[in-house]
């Protein structure tokens, strides 16, 4: 398999949204790396549209859940239903048993609902009572969230954030892009029927994943990845400001994520091996949601992106 085999998926997504090339790349990287994606942005920036376009281009079941404050864990996982005719309980699967799951506005539900996602995202299985049920081999959660400063939102638990492979931030379009959005909307009003798309089969997707996993990553770059993640835990060794800004660094899950995503980035670029610039390209979206900054950093207007960008300039490239 080659990157050109994934081009129809990219083209279909690009036909539904204008711009946002980095966001599309993040979705494809997570897809190739068997990971989950958290998407943050203001309302109206086509986050949901992009995720639905990705699902349309893939072979598999798609389900959307609108997260609300009154949602219950059983609304995601499923529940045991008593069958009088059988005299026993029967498990009715919930939305988590679909291949592609869109968790829309995920941070509008409280922590007890968020916890229902933990086992499924980390282990591809669901435990209900004394029984454990496996999820489909292709299982991907794409969650959208509004900025946490908005009314009616909750902070996602750190344990759940760590289970998202990447966090993409969708920004406002440029003036030219917004003009193109108006033109696209006008065309869709005239022709509301969407042309059918040839779906990427799961067999082809799994073949792509094997190709990505087999891409060469030099042992020296393994050390570079570990140094970057270790630096988030001991930032004071690199810079006094970094030491003041970060309370908690990233877990070893971040190192694994960087290695996987760097391979996917290199494969999408058509390269046969991973280079340092592939690692640097994916690190911001992998560490963005895994770092906990100090109150001092927030008071100075320092974001995790500022922290990571500074870190990338200080950690030596092998």
């Amino acid at each position: 398999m080659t990157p050109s085999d994934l081009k129809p998926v990219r083209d279909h997504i690009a036909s539904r949204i204008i711009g946002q090339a980095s966001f599309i790349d993040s979705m494809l990287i997570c897809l190739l790396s068997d990971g989950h994606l958290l998407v943050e942005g203001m309302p109206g920036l086509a986050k949901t549209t992009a995720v639905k376009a990705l699902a349309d281009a893939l072979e598999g079941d798609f389900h959307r859940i609108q997260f609300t404050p009154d949602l219950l864990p059983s609304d995601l996982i499923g529940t045991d239903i008593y069958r009088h005719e059988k005299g026993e309980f029967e498990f009715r699967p919930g939305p988590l048993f679909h291949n592609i799951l869109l968790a829309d506005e995920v941070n509008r539900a409280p922590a007890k609902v968020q916890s229902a996602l933990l086992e499924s995202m980390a282990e591809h299985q669901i435990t209900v009572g004394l029984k454990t049920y496996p999820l489909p081999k292709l299982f991907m959660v794409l969650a959208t969230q509004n900025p946490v400063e908005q009314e009616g939102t909750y902070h996602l638990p750190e344990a759940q954030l760590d289970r998202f492979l990447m966090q993409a931030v969708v920004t406002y379009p440029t003036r030219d892009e917004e003009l193109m959005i108006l033109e696209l909307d006008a065309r869709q009003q005239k022709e509301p029927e969407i042309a059918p798309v040839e779906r990427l089969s799961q067999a082809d997707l799994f073949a792509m994943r094997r190709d990505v996993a087999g891409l060469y990553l030099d042992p020296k770059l393994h050390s570079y990845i570990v140094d970057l993640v270790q630096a988030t835990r001991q930032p004071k060794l690199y810079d006094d400001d970094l030491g003041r800004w970060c309370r908690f660094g990233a877990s070893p899950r971040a190192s694994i994520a960087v290695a996987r995503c760097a391979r996917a980035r290199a494969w999408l670029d058509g390269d046969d091996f991973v280079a340092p610039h592939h690692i640097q390209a994916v690190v911001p979206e992998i560490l963005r949601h895994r770092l906990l900054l100090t109150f001092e950093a927030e008071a100075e207007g320092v974001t995790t992106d500022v922290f990571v960008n500074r870190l990338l300039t200080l950690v030596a490239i092998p």
Side-chain angles (χ1 to χ4, degrees):
M1 305 298 292
T2 65
S4 62
D5 296 312
L6 201 57
K7 189 176 184 297
V9 177
R10 183 192 293 274
D11 290 345
H12 178 69
I13 301 172
S15 71
R16 306 299 300 156
I17 63 172
I18 300 298
Q20 307 296 353
S22 176
F23 174 29
I24 296 175
D25 282 346
S26 298
M27 287 195 293
L28 297 180
I29 288 172
C30 284
L31 182 67
L32 292 169
S33 304
D34 191 16
H36 311 289
L37 178 65
L38 179 63
V39 187
E40 180 176 310
M42 298 294 287
L45 295 182
K47 302 185 298 296
T48 302
T49 301
V51 173
K52 291 174 69 175
L54 174 66
D56 289 341
L58 299 175
E59 178 190 55
D61 297 327
F62 169 72
H63 193 86
R64 171 182 175 175
I65 305 174
Q66 190 67 46
F67 277 61
T68 57
D70 61 345
L71 203 66
L72 298 174
S74 59
D75 294 329
L76 304 180
I77 296 172
T79 187
D80 286 324
I81 304 295
Y82 184 72
R83 298 295 187 186
H84 290 280
E85 63 275 14
K86 297 181 180 179
E88 60 185 25
F89 285 94
E90 179 181 300
F91 178 66
R92 177 176 292 177
L96 286 180
F97 286 84
H98 290 78
N99 298 114
I100 307 295
L101 180 71
L102 168 57
D104 206 18
E105 295 187 310
V106 67
N107 61 333
R108 293 198 181 276
K112 68 176 183 179
V113 179
Q114 310 294 347
S115 64
L117 292 170
L118 297 180
E119 183 182 13
S120 63
M121 293 175 67
E123 302 173 45
H124 282 211
Q125 66 181 30
I126 292 292
T127 300
V128 180
L130 300 177
K131 290 187 178 180
T132 298
Y133 303 90
L135 292 176
K137 186 177 179 182
L138 171 59
F139 175 67
M140 183 179 184
V141 176
L142 297 109
T144 68
Q145 71 168 4
N146 300 128
V148 293
E149 294 80 8
Q150 287 206 329
E151 186 175 354
T153 60
Y154 300 84
H155 283 277
L156 296 183
E158 285 76 11
Q160 185 185 348
L161 285 172
D162 200 34
R163 282 163 170 78
F164 283 104
L165 189 69
M166 304 177 80
Q167 180 186 1
V169 175
V170 182
T171 57
Y172 285 115
T174 64
R175 184 179 185 277
D176 289 341
E177 288 174 343
E178 196 153 353
L179 287 171
M180 294 170 65
I181 290 171
L182 293 179
E183 294 173 1
L184 176 62
D185 180 69
R187 289 198 304 270
Q188 291 174 346
Q189 291 292 325
K190 293 179 182 178
E191 302 175 7
E193 293 294 328
I194 300 175
V197 59
E198 183 178 351
R199 292 186 162 192
L200 178 71
S201 71
Q202 292 190 27
D204 286 345
L205 174 59
F206 296 146
M208 291 178 185
R209 286 181 175 178
R210 288 192 293 270
D211 291 344
V212 169
L215 217 61
Y216 180 70
L217 181 61
D218 192 274
K220 291 182 180 178
L221 293 184
H222 276 135
S223 298
Y224 180 50
I225 291 171
V226 171
D227 287 344
L228 285 170
V229 176
Q230 289 276 337
T232 67
R233 304 171 202 160
Q234 299 176 312
K236 196 174 180 64
L237 297 178
Y238 292 86
D239 184 84
D240 288 338
D241 283 337
L242 293 182
R244 290 189 301 108
W245 291 342
C246 191
R247 290 170 59 194
F248 296 104
S251 71
R253 190 180 276 132
S255 300
I256 296 172
V258 173
R260 286 186 180 183
C261 293
R263 284 189 169 98
R265 177 72 271 174
W267 187 84
L268 285 172
D269 290 346
D271 295 327
D272 297 326
F273 58 89
V274 178
H277 70 271
H278 295 130
I279 295 172
Q280 294 175 335
V282 300
V283 160
E285 293 190 346
I286 291 171
L287 296 183
R288 176 179 287 148
H289 57 294
R290 288 184 163 93
L291 305 179
L292 189 59
L293 301 184
T294 63
F295 294 113
E296 187 176 0
E298 294 178 6
E300 295 178 16
V302 175
T303 63
T304 52
D305 285 348
V306 172
F307 180 94
V308 172
N309 289 334
R310 174 80 72 88
L311 202 67
L312 287 171
T313 64
L314 295 174
V315 178
I317 299 175

